[in-house]
Amino acid sequence: SQTIHQWPATLVQPVGSPLSLECTVEGTSNPNLYWYRQAAGRGLQLLFYSVGIGQISSEVPQNLSASRPQDRQFILSSKKLLLSDSGFYLCAWRSGIGTQYFGPGTRLLVL
Amino acid sequence: AQTVTQSQPEMSVQEAETVTLSCTYDTSESDYYLFWYKQPPSRQMILVIRQEAYKQQNATENRFSVNFQKAAKSFSLKISDSQLGDAAMYFCAYRSALAGSEKLVFGKGTKLTVNP
């Protein structure tokens, strides 16, 4: 069966510091991968998605970037964090039948 | 652009009773997918049920069922025999079936409380 991992689970970072969040998927090949952000008390907002290695599409221009160095690895990065980057970050993968399945998420607090 | 509206910010239900969560959406497309996700306090998003727009039959998963009204653009979730573990935020979501459409559009969620 397929599983999706995210780390770290929780992160506290100072403003201006870099960021790297990692997502990996097991048990499937060539998945579509997604990064979402959820602000407190809100729904999810799609940030980036990838349909293959090295292919990144951005939905919202912002302080973040994404990369896909391997088939089942998706990384969310920032060179300099802002206070507004705080939130809950969820990675997801899509099956062939169109359903997106989510990872456990990373809580990011920027101070 | 498609939008998803959940008009009930909070709902409550007694254990073992039935509750219905509302969702409406706006789209000009005829082929799409609809989903209900559950987000417990752990905050992981868990798929509850999905519906393909081309299917007239309402989807059912154990105690969870939907009432899909395509013409009215309505997609409500019914939870039968509510359990304490059903307490969570519930999100309705839409995704176009057009090739290349990757975005899930979410509603703002309904917080469900289950009272013992």
Side-chain angles (χ1 to χ4, degrees):
Chain A
S1 64
Q2 300 86 5
T3 55
I4 179 168
H5 305 278
Q6 287 186 244
W7 60 87
T10 304
L11 191 60
V12 181
Q13 292 286 93
V15 169
S17 64
L19 173 74
S20 180
L21 303 182
E22 189 167 342
C23 170
T24 59
V25 181
E26 296 177 355
T28 186
S29 296
N30 196 30
N32 286 9
L33 297 172
Y34 309 83
W35 278 112
Y36 287 86
R37 177 168 60 199
Q38 184 179 30
R42 303 286 296 275
L44 272 66
Q45 179 186 40
L46 179 63
L47 301 175
F48 301 95
Y49 68 90
S50 172
V51 300
I53 296 174
Q55 300 179 61
I56 306 295
S57 296
S58 174
E59 285 290 312
V60 181
Q62 58 208 313
N63 185 43
L64 302 169
S65 62
S67 62
R68 185 170 177 176
Q70 300 179 42
D71 180 44
R72 289 170 289 178
Q73 184 184 33
F74 203 24
I75 296 172
L76 184 68
S77 303
S78 174
K79 293 182 179 178
K80 288 185 178 181
L81 282 168
L82 306 172
L83 289 174
S84 58
D85 292 324
S86 293
F88 188 62
Y89 290 83
L90 284 155
C91 181
W93 71 276
R94 180 163 73 84
S95 71
I97 58 172
T99 299
Q100 291 185 21
Y101 296 95
F102 288 83
T106 294
R107 291 171 178 79
L108 172 65
L109 179 60
V110 182
L111 300 175
Chain B
Q2 296 89 6
T3 58
V4 176
T5 302
Q6 293 179 248
S7 60
Q8 307 153 316
E10 296 188 25
M11 291 283 285
S12 63
V13 64
Q14 291 297 124
E15 195 175 5
E17 297 293 308
T18 296
V19 64
T20 299
L21 308 183
S22 300
C23 173
T24 58
Y25 56 96
D26 186 25
T27 184
S28 59
E29 298 173 345
S30 60
D31 198 12
Y32 46 86
Y33 305 96
L34 295 166
F35 307 86
W36 278 99
Y37 284 90
K38 168 185 176 181
Q39 189 177 40
S42 68
R43 299 191 72 180
Q44 181 165 6
M45 296 289 280
I46 301 167
L47 178 70
V48 175
I49 201 165
R50 80 175 237 150
Q51 174 83 41
E52 290 89 346
Y54 66 85
K55 291 186 177 179
Q56 293 186 339
Q57 186 174 8
N58 289 323
T60 299
E61 287 286 342
N62 300 313
R63 298 182 295 107
F64 299 87
S65 61
V66 298
N67 183 4
F68 173 47
Q69 300 290 328
K70 191 172 184 179
K73 298 179 182 176
S74 172
F75 183 60
S76 61
L77 175 70
K78 185 172 82 170
I79 306 174
S80 304
D81 186 25
S82 297
Q83 301 175 0
L84 294 177
D86 294 333
M89 285 289 291
Y90 285 82
F91 291 94
C92 179
Y94 167 104
R95 187 172 81 82
S96 169
L98 289 175
S101 294
E102 298 293 335
K103 186 176 182 178
L104 261 181
V105 179
F106 284 85
K108 293 187 176 181
T110 296
K111 182 180 180 181
L112 178 65
T113 301
V114 181
N115 300 309

